[in-house]
Amino acid sequence: MPYCEVGKTQNAVDAALNNGIQIYYRTYGHGPIKVLLITGLAGTHDSWGPQIRGLAGTDRANDDETMAVDRESDGANNEVGGIEVCSLDNRGMGRSSIPTKKSDYSTRIMAKDAIALLDHLGWKKAHVFGHSMGAMIACKMAALVPDRILSLALLNVTGGGFECCPKLDRKTLSIAIRFLKAKTPEQRAAVDLDTHYSEEYLEEFVGSDTRRVILYQEYVKGITATGMQSNHGFEGQINACWRHKMTRAEIDLIRSGGFLVSVIHGRQDVIAQINHARRLAEKLQPVARMVEFHGGHLVTHERTEEVNQALLELIKASEMKMSPHDWNNFPKKRSEASNRATVERETNIIIAKIHVFLVCLISLFMTVFKYGRSSLQRLKPVRVGASSPK
């Protein structure tokens, strides 16, 4: 099976920290253009299935012994030529190693895993595309080795920390509770559908069944095959997202890296709020283009053709050495409406921080109440007799 021994290509310090860590990956298609796909929280390499097929022209892995080798046809259906795609399982998920300590998980550490994989594959440079947590990892990777990045696509991304908190309403609160309670593939599949897709998309009929019914069966099958994510892996990856932050210096390294960026997002995403993605795209000016589609958090599946086309446009523009001026789609001058939008975004950030504080406060109160009640129940009543007359 294709594994990358992370420590083998790293310096002595990183190698000592990653001794024994293995990253599972698959490659697809053939050609001079190299694309690295980094998946999100609790996702595996095959989460990128629609993009693998759209970019590489096949979903048969190159190490599949039953694969009929026909390299001339690979990439023939796209407009940029032959593409070789690599998709991996991040540490903590799938067939990759699952460290038990939270300190072994951060977007910077996982970015170094991805860099080690490039070294393992012998890829000097690559187009790097990340989704959700994978986009956070891709940002760190681009800041660490900007000279190895041909282009950067950030799909359904946030800036980490409090920006990972979904919009507080009845629907997202219900999703969060169901997600934490999910213990079986069936329970996890049901909540994943509401997390990944827009309600409109799920309720559309495909033949005699809705997409919800069809996708539910596929999700149960997939989760059963790969298994539920371990507690160590889940808590570690959550910790990585919560601790993620891009410094101004890291943003500047990406802006000056000499490559183009696409920030792609679904407007109905209930997990990663689109305002955070827009704000990141603005920070990455003048090299970033903001691309929005009607869809949820897994816009890669919900709007497959549109997303694949956006990714191919990014690759083509990069191969043609398009200038950032021609690439980005942000207005050159800030209008009054833009200023109002900026004020609104900053206000939303403040509200989000207050929201996180209140959620933590309520959680603390409920914990204290729970243990206080438990302690009271353990107290035995003391029977006091009537005092004797003097």
Side-chain angles (χ1 to χ4, degrees):
M1 286 191 177
Y3 284 96
C4 166
E5 297 280 352
V6 173
K8 283 188 175 181
T9 61
Q10 295 182 326
N11 60 47
V13 175
D14 288 335
L17 294 173
N18 292 309
N19 185 31
I21 297 293
Q22 292 185 317
I23 298 299
Y24 180 79
Y25 69 93
R26 306 296 291 275
T27 59
Y28 307 82
H30 302 277
I33 300 173
K34 310 300 183 183
V35 176
L36 180 67
L37 303 176
I38 309 176
T39 193
L41 176 73
T44 54
H45 64 280
D46 50 6
S47 300
W48 284 101
Q51 283 62 57
I52 291 171
R53 288 188 291 273
L55 297 175
T58 180
D59 55 6
R60 282 280 184 89
N62 291 340
D63 61 301
D64 189 340
E65 294 179 357
T66 64
M67 179 180 178
V69 179
D70 183 9
R71 299 192 175 193
E72 292 183 0
S73 65
D74 287 342
N77 294 324
N78 66 57
E79 56 192 80
V80 298
I83 298 176
E84 183 176 5
V85 173
C86 178
S87 185
L88 66 143
D89 293 348
N90 289 310
R91 62 169 63 197
M93 187 57 194
R95 297 179 183 178
S96 290
S97 298
I98 304 176
T100 57
K101 295 188 297 184
K102 284 185 181 180
S103 59
D104 288 333
Y105 295 85
S106 73
T107 51
R108 183 180 177 87
I109 289 172
M110 288 190 274
K112 290 184 177 182
D113 290 344
I115 295 168
L117 178 56
L118 288 189
D119 294 335
H120 173 80
L121 293 170
W123 292 5
K124 293 182 178 180
K125 294 187 177 185
H127 299 273
V128 178
F129 303 162
H131 177 264
S132 194
M133 181 187 75
M136 300 181 200
I137 296 169
C139 280
K140 288 292 183 182
M141 183 179 178
L144 285 168
V145 288
D147 57 317
R148 301 186 67 175
I149 309 298
L150 293 173
S151 72
L152 184 66
L154 308 173
L155 295 91
N156 296 78
V157 67
T158 72
F162 75 89
E163 292 187 9
C164 294
C165 296
K167 185 178 180 180
L168 184 60
D169 56 25
R170 183 175 297 178
K171 179 181 178 181
T172 53
L173 187 59
S174 171
I175 290 173
I177 293 172
R178 288 163 55 209
F179 182 83
L180 293 173
K181 287 184 175 180
K183 303 299 181 185
T184 66
E186 290 77 14
Q187 293 172 335
R188 181 60 183 273
V191 70
D192 276 357
L193 292 181
D194 289 328
T195 303
H196 292 164
Y197 303 100
S198 65
E199 187 172 352
E200 176 185 347
Y201 181 77
L202 289 173
E203 300 311 322
E204 286 181 356
F205 275 86
V206 180
S208 58
D209 291 321
T210 63
R211 280 201 180 91
R212 182 184 295 275
V213 172
I214 298 170
L215 288 172
Y216 173 77
Q217 296 169 350
E218 293 179 1
Y219 267 51
V220 170
K221 183 179 178 181
I223 296 171
T224 301
T226 59
M228 296 281 285
Q229 187 175 23
S230 70
N231 289 335
H232 290 307
F234 176 71
E235 291 172 3
Q237 291 190 351
I238 285 287
N239 182 61
C241 293
W242 186 253
R243 291 168 54 200
H244 174 77
K245 181 180 180 180
M246 293 298 294
T247 65
R248 180 174 296 180
E250 289 173 321
I251 292 292
D252 288 343
L253 284 168
I254 295 175
R255 291 174 63 243
S256 61
F259 51 85
L260 302 177
V261 181
S262 274
V263 180
I264 302 172
H265 215 93
R267 298 189 190 95
Q268 285 69 44
D269 191 339
V270 298
I271 299 299
Q273 297 184 58
I274 195 169
N275 283 342
H276 301 316
R278 290 170 179 158
R279 186 163 175 262
L280 178 60
E282 284 189 0
K283 288 182 178 180
L284 292 172
Q285 289 308 303
V287 299
R289 172 183 288 189
M290 185 72 203
V291 184
E292 301 178 14
F293 295 117
H294 183 90
H297 189 61
L298 211 59
V299 71
T300 49
H301 287 231
E302 190 168 341
R303 291 290 178 263
T304 296
E305 289 186 11
E306 294 96 323
V307 169
N308 287 354
Q309 184 60 36
L311 296 176
L312 287 169
E313 287 177 2
L314 175 60
I315 294 174
K316 184 177 180 181
S318 300
E319 296 294 319
M320 293 174 57
K321 308 297 183 185
M322 181 182 290
S323 71
H325 175 81
D326 293 328
W327 174 251
N328 85 72
N329 58 354
F330 278 75
K332 301 300 180 288
K333 294 182 179 179
R334 297 179 65 86
S335 63
E336 183 179 347
S338 178
N339 288 330
R340 285 199 302 269
T342 300
V343 172
E344 182 181 348
R345 280 193 292 274
E346 296 299 331
T347 302
N348 288 336
I349 291 171
I350 295 172
I351 292 173
K353 289 181 177 180
I354 295 172
H355 159 215
V356 172
F357 172 76
L358 290 175
V359 169
C360 292
L361 187 64
I362 292 170
S363 299
L364 179 62
F365 172 78
M366 292 180 67
T367 301
V368 171
F369 176 78
K370 175 183 176 182
Y371 284 100
R373 185 175 62 178
S374 176
S375 299
L376 287 173
Q377 290 174 345
R378 289 196 296 268
L379 291 176
K380 294 182 179 180
V382 178
R383 191 179 297 274
V384 179
S387 59
S388 57
K390 293 183 179 180

